[in-house]
Amino acid sequence: MPTTFASSVAEAVADTVQDCRRRGWTVAETVNGVCLITDEQISAIELTGTLAATVRRFLRANNLSGPVIEIPGAQRREIHLVVGAAKAAMAIGALREVGAIVHTGGASIPLPPTRLSAGSACWGVSPAEARWVPPVVAIAAAVRAAETGRKPHVSGMAC
């Protein structure tokens, strides 16, 4: 009888499921791969464009990076996994004001590898590489710093 081997996709999906469950995260397996189900333990903040790039640089420079999913497309799109959403209503409101999408309360987030093909989501920073999962307020602070850096500064006015 010939030996059969699981496909690399099946192995990657199984590894992702096992890793997430070990972390206490709720996951669901779908035909396209594994989805993280947000709950009181884990949420996600989705950022796009230059804001996503600036926030990523801020987090990296301040040693605050956590797990980040990169979604391919015409515009940069990243999903930062976070904790502490239940106690961060003001931070979540501020994030939404600048156009961030906040995934909480049962939202489904596709986890890499959703499909191992060109153009599929991938980990920018995997949970295994991240030293922690940052709180929502850390992402909000990075967004605030990014937004402050874009605004023109008035350096003194004569009255």
Side-chain angles (χ1 to χ4, degrees), residues 24-157:
W25 301 345
T26 303
V27 293
E29 293 182 67
T30 69
V31 295
N32 290 325
V34 178
C35 290
L36 172 71
I37 308 301
T38 61
D39 57 21
E40 61 282 345
Q41 291 184 24
I42 192 83
S43 299
I45 308 296
E46 187 170 340
L47 303 170
T48 58
T50 56
L51 179 60
T54 305
V55 164
R56 178 81 86 86
R57 281 191 300 275
F58 176 90
L59 294 171
R60 189 177 11 227
N62 291 286
N63 198 25
L64 298 172
S65 296
V68 179
I69 301 166
E70 296 175 351
I71 310 293
Q75 184 178 35
R76 182 183 190 120
R77 191 169 138 212
E78 297 181 344
I79 300 174
H80 295 259
L81 301 186
V82 295
V83 297
K87 296 181 180 183
M90 289 178 58
I92 289 171
L95 287 164
R96 287 183 171 142
E97 282 180 21
V98 298
I101 299 170
V102 182
H103 301 278
T104 60
S108 179
I109 308 296
L111 295 176
T114 51
R115 291 166 285 144
L116 291 180
S117 62
S120 65
C122 64
W123 287 110
V125 178
S126 76
E129 295 171 317
R131 71 175 186 87
W132 72 331
V133 177
V136 171
V137 295
I139 305 301
V143 166
R144 189 171 49 252
E147 288 294 300
T148 302
R150 289 188 204 165
K151 295 177 183 172
H153 296 281
V154 178
S155 61
M157 269 176 132

